[in-house]
């Protein structure tokens, strides 16, 4: 029996800076004066229900702030994203891991995510040329790229998760900016972005079919989950006035590990 270590939480990167500096704008997005740090915080994430192994996780959402800035795009432009290709494994009622995974990020005019159902939202976002394309990066030398803990069955669903991502495509200047290999993966390699997530079935899109989502009768693929996510990483453009970066590397980021056996 081999022991497999999965990250169950990833703490954020810390940044200390002094002095004033000009804002860094990359791909139409204002990263502010703290341009050495990339912090994309979302407040709208919708995703599908997972009930076992071998199922694909789908989701979408809007980036609310970039390095704390609500007005990071030109005019009404905001970052939206979709994710898919995450495949569930090691599923239990309280844990589930995912392999693979892709996140596609788009810069587009603001629109209301609660004005139509989730399948329509996914299609509206996933058009044109992505601002950035991210793919899952293995945790601790495994094929798992995202690990979640919580309660995945019953009338109350609630969970948190953590994973790693690599920048693999998108606009050339965005790729060059975010492709920093700044986060250790616990096995000698490096990823570009650490992601932490949380979600529940408390508030859902009124245009979705949510029958069973709050009664313990949900089925695979239903849009039963809403929540939030943080994506944090370093960038490849040094910013004047930076004094220190703390918490670099997965093992130095306050990681708690879940140890489980796999056949």
């Amino acid at each position: 029996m081999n022991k497999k270590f999965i990250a169950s939480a990833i703490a954020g990167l810390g940044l200390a800076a002094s002095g004033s500096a000009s804002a860094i704008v990359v791909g139409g997005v204002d990263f502010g004066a703290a341009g050495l740090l990339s912090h994309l915080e979302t407040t709208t994430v919708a995703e599908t229900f997972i009930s076992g192994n071998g199922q694909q996780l789908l989701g979408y959402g809007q980036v609310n702030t970039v390095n704390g800035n609500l007005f990071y795009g030109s005019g009404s432009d905001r970052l939206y994203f979709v994710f898919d290709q995450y495949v569930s494994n090691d599923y239990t009622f309280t844990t589930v891991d995912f392999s693979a995974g892709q996140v596609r990020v788009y810069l587009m005019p603001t629109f209301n995510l609660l004005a139509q159902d989730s399948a329509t939202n996914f299609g509206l976002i996933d058009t044109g040329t992505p601002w950035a394309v991210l793919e899952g990066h293995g945790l601790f030398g495994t094929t798992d790229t995202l690990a979640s803990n919580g309660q995945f069955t019953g009338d109350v669903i609630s969970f948190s998760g953590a994973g790693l991502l690599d920048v693999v495509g998108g606009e050339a200047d965005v790729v060059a900016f975010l492709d920093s290999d700044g986060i250790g993966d616990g096995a000698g390699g490096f990823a570009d972005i650490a992601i932490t997530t949380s979600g529940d079935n408390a508030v859902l899109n009124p245009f979705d079919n949510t029958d069973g989502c709050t009664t313990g009768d949900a089925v695979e693929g239903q849009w039963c989950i809403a929540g939030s996510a943080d994506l944090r990483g370093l960038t490849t453009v040094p910013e004047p006035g930076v004094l220190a970066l703390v918490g670099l590397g997965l093992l130095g980021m306050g990681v708690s590990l879940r140890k489980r056996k796999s056949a």
Side-chain angles (χ1 to χ4, degrees):
M1 303 291 286
N2 295 323
K3 293 182 178 179
K4 183 169 61 175
F5 296 88
I6 305 297
S8 62
I10 298 179
L13 295 171
L15 178 70
S18 68
S20 60
S22 300
I24 294 178
V25 179
V26 180
V29 172
D30 184 352
F31 283 82
L36 189 60
L37 179 69
S38 169
H39 176 197
L40 280 61
E41 181 180 78
T42 76
T43 56
T44 306
V45 176
E47 60 186 61
T48 52
F49 179 74
I50 297 294
S51 60
N53 292 326
Q55 299 177 9
Q56 181 180 193
L57 178 67
L58 302 177
Y60 66 90
Q62 178 184 5
V63 174
N64 185 46
T65 65
V66 174
N67 286 349
N69 181 13
L70 284 167
F71 306 103
Y72 56 81
S74 175
S76 67
D77 286 354
R78 295 294 182 271
L79 292 172
Y80 291 83
F81 62 91
V82 298
F83 58 87
D84 55 17
Q85 302 178 37
Y86 281 102
V87 180
S88 61
N89 65 84
D90 291 336
Y91 175 88
T92 72
F93 293 158
T94 58
T95 62
V96 61
D97 300 331
F98 296 90
S99 60
Q102 186 176 90
V103 181
R104 297 179 294 282
V105 186
Y106 299 87
L107 184 64
M108 56 197 303
T110 300
F111 72 99
N112 185 0
L113 292 174
L114 295 178
Q116 55 280 314
D117 64 25
S118 288
T120 301
N121 282 331
F122 194 105
L124 288 172
I125 295 170
D126 199 23
T127 58
T129 302
W131 182 80
V133 179
L134 316 173
E135 289 188 351
H137 181 108
L139 297 163
F140 294 92
T142 72
T143 59
D144 292 328
T145 59
L146 180 66
S148 298
N149 293 270
Q151 181 64 38
F152 297 103
T153 62
D155 55 352
V156 177
I157 299 171
S158 180
F159 65 89
S160 61
L164 294 174
L165 294 162
D166 290 320
V167 181
V168 299
E171 297 183 13
D173 54 345
V174 175
V175 173
F177 185 66
L178 297 179
D179 186 13
S180 64
D181 290 329
I183 301 173
D185 62 8
F190 293 89
D192 297 319
I193 293 173
I195 179 171
T196 56
T197 68
S198 63
D200 56 42
N201 62 339
V203 180
L204 304 175
N205 188 328
F207 289 92
D208 288 335
N209 173 17
T210 57
D211 293 344
C213 288
T214 58
T215 61
D217 301 311
V219 297
E220 173 191 352
Q222 269 190 284
W223 292 94
C224 285
I225 307 298
S228 62
D230 277 353
L231 289 80
R232 295 175 182 254
L234 302 179
T235 66
T236 58
V237 179
E239 176 66 10
V242 172
L243 291 180
L245 280 169
V246 297
L248 297 183
L250 191 60
L251 295 180
M253 293 168 65
V255 176
S256 62
L257 304 179
R258 179 171 81 245
K259 181 171 70 176
R260 300 214 311 272
K261 293 182 178 180
S262 62

